[in-house]
Amino acid sequence: NETTVTTSGSLNAFSVCEGNASTEQSFTVSGTSLTNDIIVTAPTGFEVSTSSGSGYASSVTLTQSGGTVNSTAIYVRIASASVASGASDTPSGNVTCASTNATTQDVAASGTIYNTPSSSAGSDIAQCGTSSFTLAATNPSFGTGAWTVTSGSATISNSSSYNSGVTGVSAGSNATLTWTVSNGSCTAATDDVDLTNNSNPTADAGS
């Protein structure tokens, strides 16, 4: 009989924020008429296990018994890693299932590791008798920024622009705006800026 390794199932694209292992996915592998064990090896950036949630390594061995490996779940995830620069890294490759004298079976794995975003809304701004402001957040080198009004009343000219204009802050009042920077699967970063429109002083010389 022909030595055969068989896989069933496929993997969707993974997604994770740097510094964390991704959610796992799985496929199954089995073998017949084997002369040796099945070695399941993860591509660079991934890891595999035969146990959900634990036991992850770069490879696992499925021990044959009487030439057979019964259908076994293989769990796959992106390994915890950091993104050196830019918005993300995109590891990809094949999980290989190999045994002596059998045709190696490949299961494709790919995904995205997102870089952790940061947010700086700029210094608080205080003006006198002027209802218009120009924001001065740090333009994110990656990710997407968005302004929102957290408290008070104000109108944002362009919510996605780090240096948007703001109008409608009434004299004698203030508004707090939040600059939120999002990037893929990572928790969004936020920072606030306070805008204050002080009333013009009035002089009363008396009668």
Side-chain angles (χ1 to χ4, degrees):
N1 292 333
E2 182 181 1
T3 299
T4 303
V5 172
T6 304
T7 62
S8 177
S10 59
L11 304 172
N12 296 320
F14 293 85
S15 177
V16 68
C17 187
E18 66 170 352
N20 302 279
S22 72
T23 301
E24 65 188 16
Q25 299 181 51
S26 67
F27 66 91
T28 61
V29 61
S30 59
T32 57
S33 301
L34 300 172
T35 59
N36 212 333
D37 299 336
I38 298 175
I39 308 299
V40 180
T41 304
T44 300
F46 292 83
E47 51 194 3
V48 290
S49 177
T50 55
S51 300
S52 176
S54 64
Y56 277 91
S58 59
S59 66
V60 294
T61 299
L62 307 182
T63 303
Q64 62 89 16
S65 176
T68 299
V69 170
N70 293 323
S71 181
T72 303
I74 300 297
Y75 298 91
V76 185
R77 69 184 186 184
I78 290 179
S80 177
S82 298
V83 178
S85 63
S88 61
D89 286 337
T90 52
S92 65
N94 290 320
V95 181
T96 61
C97 304
S99 184
T100 305
N101 297 323
T103 299
T104 297
Q105 301 298 310
D106 294 333
V107 177
S110 65
T112 304
I113 306 171
Y114 289 96
N115 204 344
T116 304
S118 61
S119 173
S120 176
S123 300
D124 295 341
I125 305 172
Q127 300 178 158
C128 189
T130 303
S131 62
S132 299
F133 294 78
T134 299
L135 298 169
T138 298
N139 190 18
S141 58
F142 60 86
T144 303
W147 287 108
T148 53
V149 179
T150 307
S151 67
S153 179
T155 300
I156 302 168
S157 301
N158 183 352
S159 62
S160 63
S161 174
Y162 71 97
N163 60 353
S164 174
V166 175
T167 59
V169 181
S170 303
S173 66
N174 71 288
T176 299
L177 276 64
T178 300
W179 180 234
T180 301
V181 180
S182 304
N183 189 37
S185 304
C186 295
T187 300
T190 61
D191 192 35
D192 293 340
V193 62
D194 291 327
L195 308 179
T196 303
N197 180 10
N198 294 306
S199 299
N200 283 316
T202 57
D204 185 356
S207 53

